[in-house]
Amino acid sequence: MRQKDAEHYKALREQAESLIAMQKESVIPPDQTEIARVFHDLTVYQIELEMQNEQLRLTQAELLGAQKNIDQLFDLAPVGYLILSGKAEILRSNRTLHDLLDYHGDEFNNRKYFAQFVYTDDLIIFNARYQAFFKRPENKRIELRLQKRQGSPVLVELSGRLVKSVTPQQIIQYGDFYLLVNIVDISARKQLEEELRLAAKVFENSDEGILITDHQSRIVKVNPAFTAVTGYEADEVIGKSPAVLKSHKHSPEFYRQMWNKINREGSWQGEIWNRRKNGDFYLECLSINAITDQFGRASHFIGIFSDITRRRHDEQQIEIMAHYDALTDLPNRVLFNERLKHSIVRATRHKQWISVLFLDLDRFKNLNDTLGHFIGDLLLQGVAKRLKACVRESDTVSRFGGDEFMIVLSDFEDEQTVTLHTAEIAKKILSELTKAFDLSGNKFMTTTSIGVAFFPKDGHSVAELMKNADTAMYHAKGQGRNNYQCYSDDMREQALTRSTLENDLRSALENQELVLHYQPVVNLQTAEIVGFEALIRWRHPKRGLIPPDQFIPIAEETGLITDIGEWVLHSACRQLKIWHGAGKSTLKMSVNLSARQFMQHNLVEIIKHVLELNALEPHYLELEITETVIMKNMNQTAKMLKNLQHLGVSISLDDFGTGYSSLTYLKLFPVNILKIDRSFIRDILEANDDKVIVNSIIAIAQHMRLNIITEGIERPEQVHYLKSQGCQFGQGYLFAMPCIAEECLFSVKDFSQENI
Ligand code: C2E
Ligand code: MG
Ligand code: MG
């Protein structure tokens, strides 16, 4: 007997004996000693047994309690428990597992095999691996999906321990070995892992540079995009401060404010210039976020940035393209408008004056058409350069497209200053532009017409100032180009008249408002009428008789001249035919051709047609063109003149002496007659200059076998002088005013009778 048991037994016996001692007197008679002893012993035994029984009962109750605790622990463990046999029969399972799969205990226990809970798609994994897992579960884990009661899967991890059955009961119940399996729901963990994997992928593959620092601003991690932008490999910057990227383009104040905001609000966003490893500056769009620990203290800072140097450069390019003229680099219309608006605001505030100059190069289109756009572009660039040189740095010179330029001069105290200064600049521009341009080895000249409008006198808005400067510019063109004109209200009046005239002219032909007057051309030697010049007039229903100078330019610009010109040719030829029919069969007819008419590609056909229609020989028709028309496009002119000559019509050079008058060109063109302009005749008797000019023109004409007609003869003395110089023909009020056909022959007759 073991020491402990012996002591226990001895204690029991002592207790039993003291109980009997208390009962002895009454129960056992004193004389029956032997029996009494035996009885005593039996009683002791009985008591001992009872006491032992009691002890056993207590122990059993304790055991049951303990068992219950263990069952509870088993059931309520934070992980699922499962006892499986080698064949994966479920021997026992806990509530945590039931709960995980949404089963009641009974329902769960009704199923015999664990495979019945495995998600169908994962059965193959389970079946394939279970045996190996059962035999040696150490360090093995099976991840698979179980199927919840409603059918949805739940991802779990199985780990296990092989246990040897010890009690006979276990052997009967579980077999020799059983598997104790832990089942853990790993969905959340997996999701987290997945998120981390994703985050890592984003970090690695992001197009944006990412830089993570610890709370002491030491770089702890950078991504490949960081390296791509900055040129620094991760190991070159880890442990260092982001200051390695500093460009020193920002003030300490900039960084102070940035960190203030991060500390206060946890983040900062903005644009910042940094520097790459190779020393290049770059602009990045950066956002910095503070990462806080559980105590709210910043533990890390994450900087995410993208390199926007290129984008900014592109934006700037777009800005330039939107506001500057690509050819000349001058501000364009859009920027000009902005600047002028700005100047107006400032001038209004400071009570200052501004001037707006509208420039249009003279005859630029001609140059562009004949010499090509390349030369045209070079000229515009040259002009732009000279214009800029003519004004102050602060003044705006802009190109409005084509050959139009605008200039704003600002900051003038009063009207007098602005007028004076603007006049100076305008004159300077006019003279600068007339200096020859050297364009790819050739010298070219140009002139410009300038219109000026002043703020506040001529307008308060951008639109008004520009419109009035434009009107003034047109006026300058009308004044013979190569000059500047300041806007006046009369111009507006004129512009208005012009625009109504333009409108009316469109219907003038249809309404038969156009008429021809005829002025005789006289042989000065014989006083015979040799022909007539057809001169157009417009009988305006409201304005009366309008002379050609006032509407031919409008007809030219609007293109109406082609129809009007054709009408003149028809009417004049028809009239000539009538006179021929009336016996004046030697008379010739002169018809004026304007520039645009002369450039008409089918002019020869038209003339041919008109002559045929009126059954007129071509030599009865003279066409008058001015020198300027000839000089405009010499190649084309020469061709046209040859064709006309071939047709048999004569050509006169009208207003001779007033234009370019290059006598050398005369040789090149087949011209028959020179009409000396009336401005030379008017004072010919008094002005020596005019005499010299007229005499030399006559001499040259004679030398070149050209006929001469002098225009504007008003006095008989002029006839005498011109006759003495050998001039053959003349025209003028002296002989006859231009008049309608019906009156013509009479007036001529009168003259013939009086003066022969
Ligand atoms: P032009 O061809 O030089 O015509 C001569 C102009 O001088 C005419 O003016 C005529 O009336 C004027 N004149 C004639 N004799 C005298 C005189 O003794 N003294 C003065 N001071 N003037 C005299 P008009 O008719 O006003 O024509 C002006 C210009 O208009 C013409 O100049 C011509 O270039 C143009 N023109 C006239 N008719 C037509 C036409 O049918 N078609 C085209 N394209 N132009 C025309
Ligand atoms: Mg004429
Ligand atoms: Mg003339």
Side-chain angles (χ1 to χ4, degrees), residues 533-535 590-593 624-626 652 654-655 675 711 731:
E533 179 177 3
L535 295 160
S590 290
V591 171
N592 293 283
L593 289 188
E624 299 192 3
I625 48 173
T626 59
S652 339
D654 204 354
D655 302 347
K675 290 189 83 169
E711 298 180 313
Q731 254 177 282

Side-chain angles (χ1 to χ4, degrees), residues 54-106:
E54 180 62 27
Q55 198 76 35
L56 273 173
R57 257 196 319 273
L58 274 172
T59 310
Q60 197 181 18
E62 269 174 28
L63 271 173
L64 273 173
Q67 178 69 39
K68 213 169 159 190
N69 280 346
I70 284 170
D71 282 350
Q72 262 182 7
L73 278 177
F74 183 81
D75 261 339
L76 302 176
V79 294
Y81 282 139
L82 194 62
I83 293 175
L84 292 180
S85 73
K87 285 187 263 175
E89 295 157 299
I90 299 172
L91 304 175
R92 228 188 129 179
S93 57
N94 74 343
R95 238 175 82 183
T96 313
L97 182 59
H98 304 162
D99 290 348
L100 176 67
L101 301 181
D102 288 335
Y103 277 94
H104 288 296
D106 311 340

Side-chain angles (χ1 to χ4, degrees), residues 279-545:
D280 287 352
F281 293 106
Y282 69 96
L283 183 65
E284 63 181 33
C285 177
L286 170 67
S287 75
I288 300 178
N289 281 287
I291 305 295
T292 47
D293 60 17
Q294 70 259 46
F295 307 108
R297 288 178 307 216
S299 64
H300 293 88
F301 297 97
I302 302 186
I304 301 177
F305 62 90
S306 44
D307 182 349
I308 56 166
T309 324
R310 181 70 191 265
R311 192 174 85 198
R312 179 53 46 86
H313 179 256
D314 289 350
E315 282 168 1
Q316 281 167 349
Q317 274 315 103
I318 290 169
E319 164 80 10
I320 287 172
M321 275 156 63
H323 288 104
Y324 289 86
D325 169 46
L327 182 67
T328 59
D329 288 338
L330 291 179
N332 64 9
R333 188 184 284 262
V334 177
L335 186 56
F336 174 83
N337 281 354
E338 278 174 24
R339 296 232 180 126
L340 179 54
K341 206 192 267 172
H342 188 73
S343 297
I344 290 174
V345 171
R346 229 190 23 225
T348 311
R349 198 181 312 135
H350 297 115
K351 296 203 175 8
Q352 287 175 330
W353 286 68
I354 304 173
S355 61
V356 177
L357 288 78
F358 196 130
L359 285 80
D360 188 293
L361 299 188
D362 298 330
R363 302 197 176 86
F364 175 74
K365 195 178 166 306
N366 245 340
L367 177 130
N368 221 17
D369 289 348
T370 42
L371 300 172
H373 288 250
F374 177 68
I375 296 291
D377 286 354
L378 287 181
L379 179 69
L380 290 171
Q381 286 170 339
V383 168
K385 231 187 209 161
R386 290 196 194 169
L387 291 180
K388 264 169 82 175
C390 285
V391 301
R392 293 169 303 188
E393 190 71 25
S394 57
D395 296 326
T396 297
V397 177
S398 78
R399 178 173 171 234
F400 256 44
D403 57 345
E404 292 177 348
F405 294 86
M406 274 278 190
I407 298 177
V408 183
L409 308 174
S410 37
D411 301 333
F412 298 103
E413 271 172 31
D414 49 39
E415 186 174 359
Q416 200 189 356
T417 335
V418 76
T419 314
L420 266 173
H421 189 82
T422 306
E424 251 168 51
I425 299 257
K427 282 181 206 155
K428 195 164 155 197
I429 289 173
L430 290 172
S431 89
E432 280 301 309
L433 292 193
T434 40
K435 290 179 188 160
F437 286 89
D438 189 348
L439 309 178
S440 72
N442 294 306
K443 297 241 181 300
F444 291 96
M445 314 245 285
T446 185
T447 57
T448 184
S449 302
I450 307 175
V452 182
F454 296 108
F455 168 90
K457 184 169 72 81
D458 302 330
H460 287 89
S461 68
V462 170
E464 223 177 335
L465 287 168
M466 275 166 39
K467 198 182 96 207
N468 291 341
D470 186 33
T471 304
M473 188 276 290
Y474 266 98
H475 202 75
K477 291 261 182 211
Q479 297 295 305
R481 306 188 166 92
N482 194 22
N483 72 106
Y484 78 94
Q485 297 289 325
C486 295
Y487 176 78
S488 73
D489 286 339
D490 291 353
M491 288 180 187
R492 192 206 301 271
E493 208 56 43
Q494 279 177 29
L496 212 70
T497 314
R498 202 199 119 93
S499 77
T500 44
L501 272 189
E502 186 181 317
N503 253 347
D504 295 348
L505 190 60
R506 291 179 192 282
S507 49
L509 202 56
E510 220 172 90
N511 298 345
Q512 303 189 322
E513 290 165 13
L514 299 179
V515 286
L516 285 187
H517 283 191
Y518 300 92
Q519 186 178 39
V521 180
V522 176
N523 182 330
L524 298 182
Q525 311 296 335
T526 62
E528 268 179 317
I529 295 174
V530 294
F532 285 89
E533 179 177 3
L535 295 160
I536 196 170
R537 272 98 184 85
W538 179 7
R539 272 206 193 106
H540 193 279
K542 286 191 199 123
R543 293 170 194 266
L545 205 62

